[in-house]
Amino acid sequence: MSGRRDVWADEGHEEEEHGLLESQQIYQEETNMGESILRRREQITDITKEITDVQEMFQDFATMVKEQGVEIDDIESNILDTKEKTQEALKEVVMASDYTRRKRNALCYTFLFFLLILLGFGLFAWELSDSSD
């Protein structure tokens, strides 16, 4: 009977070793699965951070575009004001040119008038001097 006991003991020992090996394999698989889950969790965290960074970048861009839109509106307003003032200045330059031309013409007519008067006095004086001789 002791022979049978040894066989049974050996079989029990083998089953125990087999169970231990299976437990170790299950533990190893669970450990690997746990590490895999941790890696995936870290990857998800990294992706979340990157998405947050991208979102912040888009918000910054939106703010910049809004600010530049205001600046562009200001520039456009300044351009329109400049156009209006340039047109007004052109009208004033044309008026000044007309005024200068009219003033020059008036001066020429006045000079011609005095020249004719002077010529008339000269002729009158020459006639008087010829008649007295």
Side-chain angles (χ1 to χ4, degrees):
M1 228 191 175
S2 76
R4 276 187 163 183
R5 216 181 236 186
D6 288 338
V7 172
W8 281 62
D10 285 342
E11 284 181 13
H13 186 25
E14 284 179 15
E15 285 180 17
E16 201 175 291
E17 282 182 20
H18 183 64
L20 186 60
L21 284 175
E22 282 183 5
S23 295
Q24 287 177 347
Q25 286 177 342
I26 291 172
Y27 176 76
Q28 187 64 35
E29 288 174 4
E30 287 177 355
T31 303
N32 290 342
M33 192 181 305
E35 290 174 1
S36 176
I37 290 172
L38 287 176
R39 271 185 270 134
R40 286 192 182 223
R41 189 175 287 169
E42 288 174 3
Q43 290 172 346
I44 290 171
T45 303
D46 291 343
I47 290 171
T48 303
K49 288 177 184 177
E50 290 174 7
I51 289 172
T52 303
D53 291 343
V54 169
Q55 181 184 9
E56 288 175 7
M57 287 173 43
F58 275 113
Q59 288 174 345
D60 291 343
F61 285 141
T63 303
M64 288 172 32
V65 166
K66 185 176 180 181
E67 289 172 357
Q68 288 177 354
V70 170
E71 290 175 8
I72 288 172
D73 289 343
D74 288 345
I75 291 170
E76 183 180 6
S77 175
N78 289 340
I79 288 172
L80 293 175
D81 288 345
T82 302
K83 180 182 177 186
E84 289 175 15
K85 289 181 181 183
T86 302
Q87 289 173 344
E88 290 174 13
L90 179 61
K91 289 177 185 177
E92 289 183 20
V93 167
V94 168
M95 286 175 30
S97 175
D98 288 343
Y99 176 76
T100 303
R101 183 179 45 80
R102 283 185 274 146
K103 187 176 179 180
R104 191 175 341 134
N105 287 344
L107 186 63
C108 286
Y109 290 137
T110 305
F111 179 71
L112 184 62
F113 176 73
F114 283 119
L115 186 63
L116 288 174
I117 290 177
L118 188 61
L119 185 62
F121 280 131
L123 285 174
F124 181 71
W126 186 63
E127 279 293 317
L128 282 176
S129 69
D130 263 352
S131 350
S132 49
D133 279 337

